[in-house]
Amino acid sequence: MNEGVLISAQDLVLNLNDRALLDRASLALSAGDRMGLVGRNGAGKSTFLRILAGEQEPDAGAITRRRDLVTGYLPQAFELDPGLTVLEAARAGAGHVLSLIHEFENLPGHSGRHDHLEERIGQLEGWTVDSRVRTALNQLGCPPDDRKIGSLSGGERRRVALARALIARPDFLMLDEPTNHLDTESVEWITEFLAGYPGGLLVVTHDRHFLDSVATNIVELRNGRFERYDGNYSEYLLQRAEKLATEELSEHKRQMFLRREIEWVRRRPKAQTSKSQARLDRFSAAESAGPPPTEAEMELVIPPPPPLGNRVVEIEGAGMEFGGRRLFSGLDLQFAGGTRIGVTGRNGLGKTTLLRILLGEQAPTEGEVRIGSLTRFNYVDQGRLRVNEDRTVLEEVSDGTEWVQWGDEKLSLRGYLKRFLFTDDRITTQVRHLSGGERSRLLLARVLKRGGNFLVLDEPTNDLDLQTMRVLEEALTLFPGCVLVVSHDRYFLNRVCTGIVAFEGSGRVVFSEGNYDYYLEKRRRATAPTTTGAQREFKVAPAKAAPPAKARKLSFKEQRELEGMEADIQAAEADVAGREERFTDLEFVRLNGSRMADLLAELESAKARVAGLYARWEELEAVRAASAPPAS
């Protein structure tokens, strides 16, 4: 094994039924790698992690590990001892360190292992295990230390399992969907934690903002092989678009060559010279090469909704108290067609309660909720629905009929499932044989089939692959009804939402027009430290102070510019997001392969315009603040 390589996979082969998940796939991971593993659900990402962790054997190939390598692993499907407490389960992740400490503390004074153990414990930061456990449990919003694992919900267990994987500080860390069931603050903490993590990291996640912040290279598992790209997720999208454009151009040239040569091959000159044989060989090679592999794309998946009335949902002055604690108060929201609101905040602050109030399942303790007579809710909860492992995909979605109501028309159930990328053979497959991603698509298909003109989605992106999420985002932005979505996925909130309801703690809940990044920017500016009068008192005045310069005021034109700046920034950010999204569309890449360099330059120009608008906003805000009268 090369120096610096922690773990490597050589020529892995793994077949699932008649599908090759891994086809002589090779990948090496080094100490400095922060690698994001992407690919369609069912491509074999989670399976590959299980092979690296030693929990599954490939059909062929080998895994080589550095001697004394300490690994940490958080699978999608994990097990925790239900009899342990939260604290005990988390500390178990540092079992190898704790065993070294136990051995060290019980060594006789003259033991030759004393210095070696002390050095190894120091390398693993073993003396700070308990403080790191406390930090991880607190920052991830885990239940109290003495709660039994058996009493926790699925999301609570996952947070404990994540803490267990992190606190050991392993040399190599493998995380499979680590941000599932975490709130936005917990995701931000783990993002910062991993940014400073000294070991190697391999992460499978659908959270694109998380990938952008953590990953320094992206590996795509495609058609059984690994394709490696330098940079984070955004850079991967651009590189992949360029690669697909190159493949498209090569395929166009191959087809032109075949069309040009086919007549000559049919004539087959009688004299078999070496030149004619070489020409025939070139034709045979081009013909057998075949086109580059293509991947099926999901279609829009949300059935057309029934029309909305003049009143959809109006929430006025709503507040809620629970167990003597005020969750929130004074919330005003009004929905109309096309409104898409994102809800964020730490767990336990009242997000689920707000959903129940909206759905009419729970009355607020103050304020009023008015629901229109034509409003039809379709609620997709975080747990979704249970599935019958013995039934087929078709049986799970069918409710006794072979049709789905699709607006004013009917769509066959098989045709509907194909929109969720279920092929004919997978439609008749038992649920127990589906991958995690296929299960998510199945549940999404079953729930969305119910229709409705007001979608209420609680963490809809958990376990969806990136391609499926992109199509879901497009479907939601085109949905003519209303959407309320609880999500920790920052990228998703930016792409979909026209407004954000943020639970900020201490009973404070705020509404902000625009996407999540815009809300964060406004919050940052609102909480940024300013120069106060108390701070100015510590400055030494000159012997002869000059009269203070009169603060400049905004001109009428600048005042109008500032008033429109918020809308300008939102439009510019939406333009950038739209341009970036187009690079993920294979048809767009195919049609614009020759213009790719110009399109990338236009994207950079659009990003520069956003930065310029923010700079201008800061400039005008500074002038306005300086000229404002002092507070009484």
Side-chain angles (χ1 to χ4, degrees):
M1 180 180 292
N2 293 335
E3 186 176 353
V5 175
L6 299 177
I7 188 168
S8 66
Q10 298 99 29
D11 296 325
L12 296 187
V13 174
L14 183 68
N15 295 303
L16 179 64
N17 299 326
D18 57 345
R19 270 194 316 143
L21 289 183
L22 299 173
D23 183 15
R24 299 187 64 80
S26 298
L27 185 66
L29 300 107
S30 301
D33 284 338
R34 282 170 175 73
M35 188 177 295
L37 179 59
V38 302
R40 285 197 178 277
N41 275 337
K45 303 185 300 296
S46 296
T47 302
F48 176 63
L49 260 62
R50 286 196 296 272
I51 291 173
L52 288 184
E55 296 188 357
Q56 184 171 342
E57 291 295 325
D59 297 332
I63 300 293
T64 306
R65 298 175 178 83
R66 193 191 71 186
R67 184 181 177 187
D68 296 328
L69 180 70
V70 177
T71 61
Y73 175 44
L74 174 69
Q76 279 198 57
F78 56 87
E79 292 184 4
L80 295 175
D81 186 339
L84 295 179
T85 65
V86 166
L87 181 61
E88 291 167 343
R91 287 185 90 246
H96 64 291
V97 180
L98 297 174
S99 65
L100 292 177
I101 293 175
H102 178 76
E103 182 183 356
F104 178 80
E105 291 176 341
N106 289 276
L107 280 177
H110 59 277
S111 173
R113 280 181 55 79
H114 184 281
D115 291 342
H116 170 74
L117 285 175
E118 187 174 27
E119 179 182 2
R120 183 59 177 154
I121 293 169
Q123 291 172 346
L124 296 172
E125 300 184 47
W127 307 118
T128 61
V129 164
D130 287 326
S131 65
R132 285 189 281 115
V133 169
R134 294 284 180 198
T135 299
L137 291 176
N138 290 335
Q139 294 292 343
L140 293 174
C142 293
D145 293 351
D146 57 354
R147 283 274 303 276
K148 292 288 187 181
I149 295 298
S151 69
L152 305 184
S153 68
E156 289 172 330
R157 292 188 188 202
R158 186 162 190 83
R159 292 196 289 275
V160 174
L162 179 56
R164 181 182 65 174
L166 295 179
I167 58 97
R169 294 288 177 93
D171 304 313
F172 178 56
L173 184 60
M174 296 171 286
L175 303 175
D176 197 350
E177 298 293 359
T179 63
N180 278 5
H181 305 291
L182 298 185
D183 52 45
T184 48
E185 287 81 1
S186 296
V187 173
E188 289 170 6
W189 177 81
I190 189 176
T191 300
E192 293 177 4
F193 175 89
L194 292 175
Y197 181 69
L201 172 69
L202 179 62
V203 58
V204 173
T205 180
H206 64 268
D207 191 322
R208 291 150 293 184
H209 184 268
F210 179 77
L211 274 179
D212 265 346
S213 302
V214 171
T216 57
N217 45 70
I218 301 293
V219 172
E220 181 179 10
L221 180 52
R222 184 179 177 216
N223 301 310
R225 300 287 185 91
F226 295 113
E227 299 176 3
R228 187 164 180 164
Y229 300 82
D230 292 331
N232 63 12
Y233 181 73
S234 293
E235 292 163 332
Y236 149 76
L237 287 179
L238 298 179
Q239 293 176 55
R240 187 175 188 268
E242 292 174 341
K243 179 179 179 179
L244 291 175
T246 301
E247 289 180 355
E248 181 68 23
L249 180 60
S250 297
E251 174 60 13
H252 178 66
K253 290 180 178 178
R254 188 182 74 90
Q255 292 292 345
M256 289 181 61
F257 171 77
L258 291 175
R259 284 195 295 269
R260 188 173 64 245
E261 294 290 281
I262 189 67
E263 289 302 322
W264 178 86
V265 171
R266 285 171 178 167
R267 292 196 304 268
R268 295 293 290 271
K270 297 179 180 179
Q272 293 295 320
T273 65
S274 59
K275 286 185 178 180
S276 65
Q277 184 59 46
R279 186 174 178 180
L280 186 61
D281 291 342
R282 286 196 300 273
F283 177 86
S284 298
E287 185 180 40
S288 61
T294 58
E295 296 178 330
E297 290 287 328
M298 280 182 64
E299 298 182 41
L300 300 183
V301 295
I302 303 178
L308 290 163
N310 292 329
R311 172 184 289 170
V312 181
V313 174
E314 297 173 357
I315 299 178
E316 184 176 346
M320 192 70 195
E321 289 188 6
F322 185 76
R325 182 169 68 95
R326 180 175 292 275
L327 294 178
F328 59 90
S329 62
L331 178 61
D332 296 319
L333 285 176
Q334 188 163 352
F335 291 86
T339 301
R340 300 183 300 276
I341 303 297
V343 183
T344 71
R346 275 200 174 276
N347 294 322
L349 296 183
K351 301 192 299 295
T352 302
T353 300
L354 174 61
L355 298 191
R356 287 200 289 265
I357 290 174
L358 177 78
L359 294 168
E361 296 176 355
Q362 187 171 350
T365 52
E366 61 184 59
E368 187 177 1
V369 178
R370 295 181 289 272
I371 300 174
S373 60
L374 297 180
T375 302
R376 300 290 180 267
F377 292 108
N378 187 351
Y379 178 37
V380 184
D381 69 353
Q382 191 172 146
R384 310 250 173 92
L385 304 169
R386 294 186 178 275
V387 293
N388 186 328
E389 300 283 337
D390 297 323
R391 298 174 72 181
T392 66
V393 169
L394 187 67
E395 291 168 341
E396 273 295 289
V397 176
S398 174
D399 53 3
T401 176
E402 288 292 316
W403 303 94
V404 174
Q405 193 66 38
W406 196 263
D408 296 330
E409 302 176 0
K410 286 186 176 182
L411 184 69
S412 75
L413 197 56
R414 286 180 175 271
Y416 175 70
L417 286 170
K418 286 180 179 180
R419 292 176 179 239
F420 291 82
L421 293 186
F422 286 104
T423 57
D424 286 325
D425 62 315
R426 302 306 282 174
I427 287 174
T428 55
T429 297
Q430 284 185 317
V431 173
R432 68 173 67 256
H433 298 305
L434 299 182
S435 69
E438 288 174 322
R439 284 172 177 258
S440 286
R441 295 205 304 272
L442 167 63
L443 291 168
L444 203 57
R446 191 167 71 175
V447 172
L448 292 177
K449 185 170 71 79
R450 297 199 303 250
N453 51 25
F454 197 128
L455 300 180
V456 181
L457 311 174
D458 194 354
E459 297 291 359
T461 63
N462 282 350
D463 301 321
L464 295 182
D465 61 30
L466 297 173
Q467 292 88 344
T468 304
M469 285 174 57
R470 178 176 62 81
V471 177
L472 177 61
E473 289 163 357
E474 292 175 357
L476 291 175
T477 56
L478 295 173
F479 184 62
C482 294
V483 177
L484 185 75
V485 55
V486 176
S487 179
H488 67 271
D489 190 316
R490 183 167 171 173
Y491 197 103
F492 180 83
L493 293 172
N494 284 335
R495 285 276 292 121
V496 169
C497 295
T498 60
I500 298 294
V501 172
F503 287 77
E504 297 183 339
S506 302
R508 176 177 167 80
V509 58
V510 299
F511 173 74
S512 170
E513 294 281 357
N515 64 18
Y516 186 71
D517 277 353
Y518 185 54
Y519 154 72
L520 287 181
E521 180 64 23
K522 290 200 294 186
R523 183 183 180 187
R524 183 185 70 80
R525 293 173 184 276
T527 58
T530 57
T531 304
T532 64
Q535 291 171 320
R536 288 195 294 268
E537 291 175 0
F538 289 98
K539 294 182 178 179
V540 179
K544 291 184 179 180
K550 187 175 181 180
R552 183 175 83 81
K553 293 185 178 181
L554 292 174
S555 68
F556 177 76
K557 183 178 179 181
E558 288 174 329
Q559 182 66 39
R560 295 293 299 272
E561 182 184 1
L562 180 59
E563 290 172 357
M565 191 69 73
E566 186 168 336
D568 289 344
I569 289 175
Q570 290 184 36
E573 289 182 330
D575 179 48
V576 169
R579 291 175 184 273
E580 289 179 332
E581 192 63 29
R582 285 196 287 272
F583 282 104
T584 68
D585 186 339
L586 299 182
E587 183 65 14
F588 174 81
V589 171
R590 185 184 69 80
L591 295 174
N592 296 277
S594 60
R595 299 181 56 235
M596 199 56 61
D598 292 338
L599 292 171
L600 290 172
E602 291 173 7
L603 173 61
E604 292 305 314
S605 177
K607 289 181 177 179
R609 181 170 184 271
V610 172
L613 285 171
Y614 270 119
R616 178 61 172 163
W617 186 25
E618 289 182 347
E619 177 186 351
L620 295 178
E621 278 287 355
V623 174
R624 185 193 61 77
S627 62
S632 58

